[in-house]
């Protein structure tokens, strides 16, 4: 008669699948929440007042206008998490005003950030997305001095 197929290899594939699932989750899945590392990284570039005003401490000549926009939105997110503002989102006019840039300059940069998944646009305005946080960290890494361990000993 008909013999059932050997389930051995199938079982091994299922086990491998579980191992891969675990590996991917451990190594590649990023939580939407900020980490302590994120806060330590961004405090080099952003300060907050007690009323939630975002102050960018970065030398503006070293960053692009897009990076300024993302930094401001990062500051809003941090201010919101700290309970200093009601929403992490900001309107175009408020972003432009905070950065002392014309809205006509900020608008196309925001549109690109939305297109690339770095910023989410909602009813309350624009909010930095996890993709924007990771992208911004990567972009600004060039401004961070290497630590003693990373640096070359003289």
């Amino acid at each position: 008669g008909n013999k059932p197929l050997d389930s051995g290899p199938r079982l091994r594939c299922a086990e491998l699948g579980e191992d891969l699932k675990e590996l991917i989750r451990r190594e590649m899945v990023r939580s939407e929440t900020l980490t302590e590392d994120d806060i330590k990284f961004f405090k080099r570039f952003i300060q907050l007042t007690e009323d939630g005003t975002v102050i960018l401490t970065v030398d503006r000549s070293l960053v692009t206008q897009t990076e300024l926009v993302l930094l401001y939105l990062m500051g809003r997110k941090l201010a919101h998490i700290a309970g200093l503002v009601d929403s992490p989102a900001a309107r175009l006019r408020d972003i432009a005003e905070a950065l002392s840039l014309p809205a006509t300059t900020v608008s196309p940069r925001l549109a690109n950030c939305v297109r690339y998944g770095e910023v989410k646009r909602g009813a309350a305005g624009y909010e930095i997305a996890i993709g924007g946080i990771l992208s911004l960290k990567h972009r600004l890494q060039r401004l961070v001095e290497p630590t003693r361990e990373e640096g070359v000993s003289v």
Side-chain angles (χ1 to χ4, degrees):
N2 287 348
K3 278 184 168 174
L5 290 172
D6 178 22
S7 65
R10 190 170 296 153
L11 181 63
R12 280 195 294 278
C13 281
E15 286 169 7
L16 181 61
E18 281 305 306
D19 291 345
L20 282 175
K21 185 196 276 186
E22 188 51 45
L23 180 67
I24 292 166
R25 285 175 182 265
R26 189 176 63 243
E27 298 293 330
M28 299 177 77
V29 174
R30 165 68 196 243
S31 162
E32 290 278 335
T33 14
L34 291 176
T35 65
E36 196 175 328
D37 280 350
D38 294 332
I39 292 160
K40 285 178 178 168
F41 181 85
F42 285 112
K43 79 176 189 181
R44 298 173 175 108
F45 308 104
I46 301 167
Q47 295 292 301
L48 304 169
T49 64
E50 291 195 4
D51 70 352
T53 301
V54 176
I55 302 163
L56 300 184
T57 57
V58 66
D59 179 344
R60 289 175 72 130
S61 70
L62 300 177
V63 292
T64 67
Q65 290 173 333
T66 298
E67 289 165 349
L68 281 175
V69 169
L70 288 170
L71 269 170
Y72 178 76
L73 290 175
M74 185 68 216
R76 283 288 303 192
K77 184 165 193 79
L78 292 165
H80 179 249
I81 292 168
L84 303 173
V85 294
D86 292 337
S87 166
R91 300 197 182 292
L92 169 62
R93 181 183 62 246
D94 299 326
I95 298 166
E97 197 174 292
L99 296 174
S100 303
L101 291 170
T104 52
T105 299
V106 175
S107 182
R109 282 151 187 84
L110 272 172
N112 280 336
C113 289
V114 170
R115 188 174 308 120
Y116 300 140
E118 296 173 324
V119 170
K120 296 180 275 197
R121 185 178 184 174
Y126 296 91
E127 180 182 345
I128 196 163
I130 190 69
I133 295 169
L134 297 175
S135 167
L136 186 59
K137 266 183 90 168
H138 182 74
R139 288 163 169 236
L140 296 179
Q141 199 64 51
R142 71 183 189 277
L143 302 178
V144 178
E145 302 218 13
T147 60
R148 218 166 276 145
E149 301 94 57
E150 293 166 328
V152 179
S153 57
V154 184

